[in-house]
Amino acid sequence: MAEPTDSELVLGLRAADGAAFDALYARYRPALFSFLVRLTGRRWLAEDLLQETWLRLARNAVELPPDTALRPWLFTVARNVFVSYRRWAVLDADRLRELGLWPGQRSETPFELAAATETERALEAGLAALPVTQREVLLLCAVERMEPSEAAKVLGLEPEAVRKRLSRARGMLAEHLARQERTRS
Amino acid sequence: MSTEDDLASRLGALPSADVPGDVAARIQGRARVVLGREARLAKRPGLRRASRLYDGTVEPTLVAAACFVYLWWAFDATMAIFR
């Protein structure tokens, strides 16, 4: 049997159909979780934010407009819960490090620890070292392969601004990788 | 292939992760409970509005007010020791 499309699942959600919710949950859970782990750098926090994302979908399911694009909707909510978390976590070590107020070394992310190859590990480390604004655009456009217009909806930006930010983020990541390469050789 | 294309394809090939089975089941279970409640409330719009008002405004205000009263009492009691 063919998999239901996202539009069919939206109609199911509007009718509070549990099976539609389960199908969506299976379809998008790994992608959302990976996005949140790479955004936060912490597994436990990503689990909490993932839960909040799905609870928000459940709370809003019956009121979703029939033409809702579910993938950007879910990533927008996931990003928003992360932004809310950061707003409250003013003393978060990563944030203080970004502001240059934390002298400690960045700890390795779960993806860095689980990386199968050296290249993968270097990429994960490079991603984790980027500022959040650059990291999120790379995660959406390069890792999740969203179009800039789709990513623009998630980030609340114009597509042109996303393209510029993406280009800057790629440059920063390439620079970081080159620096790591030089250190190794 | 340009460096930029190469970087994009390497990023696109990064593996994804998933939550452990018990965590996935717990999140799904909680969300299904909420979905069931929303389905019941959808049949009664008045009750749904009241529920949203309580969850979004009344409850947070009551919690904040209780915290404020407690802190005020704690401050006052501490000051009384030194009076």
Side-chain angles (χ1 to χ4, degrees), chain A residues 90-125:
Chain A
V90 281
L91 295 179
D92 183 89
D94 287 341
R95 189 175 222 186
L96 293 177
R97 200 172 290 114
E98 271 177 28
L99 294 169
L101 301 171
W102 185 267
Q105 285 285 308
R106 183 184 63 78
S107 51
E108 290 185 316
T109 68
F111 275 109
E112 276 178 77
L113 294 170
T117 63
E118 198 53 47
T119 317
E120 215 173 81
R121 194 182 163 80
L123 266 180
E124 294 289 357

Side-chain angles (χ1 to χ4, degrees), chain A residues 22 25 29 34 38 59 63, chain B residues 15 17-18 24 28 32 52:
Chain A
D22 291 348
Y25 187 66
R29 188 188 62 233
S34 305
R38 288 193 172 103
R59 272 197 291 270
E63 286 177 340
Chain B
D18 202 356
Q28 189 173 11
R32 287 288 298 266
R52 284 279 160 106

Side-chain angles (χ1 to χ4, degrees), chain A residues 4-18:
Chain A
T5 62
D6 278 8
S7 312
E8 287 165 344
L9 292 176
V10 170
L11 297 179
L13 282 179
R14 283 168 55 83
D17 175 14

Side-chain angles (χ1 to χ4, degrees), chain A residues 16 18 21-22 25 29-30 33-34 38 43 51 55 58-59 61-63 111 119-120 123-124 142 145 170 177, chain B residues 4 7-8 10-12 14-20 23-24 26-28 30-32 34-35 38-39 48 52:
Chain A
F21 182 87
D22 291 348
Y25 187 66
R29 188 188 62 233
F33 183 62
S34 305
R38 288 193 172 103
R43 227 186 142 85
Q51 171 166 293
L55 289 179
R59 272 197 291 270
V62 297
E63 286 177 340
F111 275 109
T119 317
E120 215 173 81
L123 266 180
E124 294 289 357
R145 296 170 188 269
R170 276 181 184 152
L177 292 174
Chain B
E4 208 158 88
L7 189 59
R10 277 156 65 193
L11 283 169
L14 284 176
S16 63
D18 202 356
V19 284
V23 177
R26 191 187 69 216
I27 295 173
Q28 189 173 11
R30 285 181 183 166
R32 287 288 298 266
V34 172
L35 186 66
E38 290 298 319
R48 183 183 170 79
R52 284 279 160 106

Side-chain angles (χ1 to χ4, degrees), chain B residues 60-74:
Chain B
T61 308
L62 285 176
V63 170
C67 290
F68 178 78
V69 167
Y70 174 75
L71 286 173
W72 182 259
W73 172 82

Side-chain angles (χ1 to χ4, degrees), chain A residues 137 148-149 151-152 157-168:
Chain A
V137 78
S149 57
L157 296 169
E158 291 297 319
E160 196 44 47
V162 170
R163 280 190 200 96
K164 280 184 189 159
R165 200 179 276 189
L166 180 62
S167 165
R168 209 174 311 136

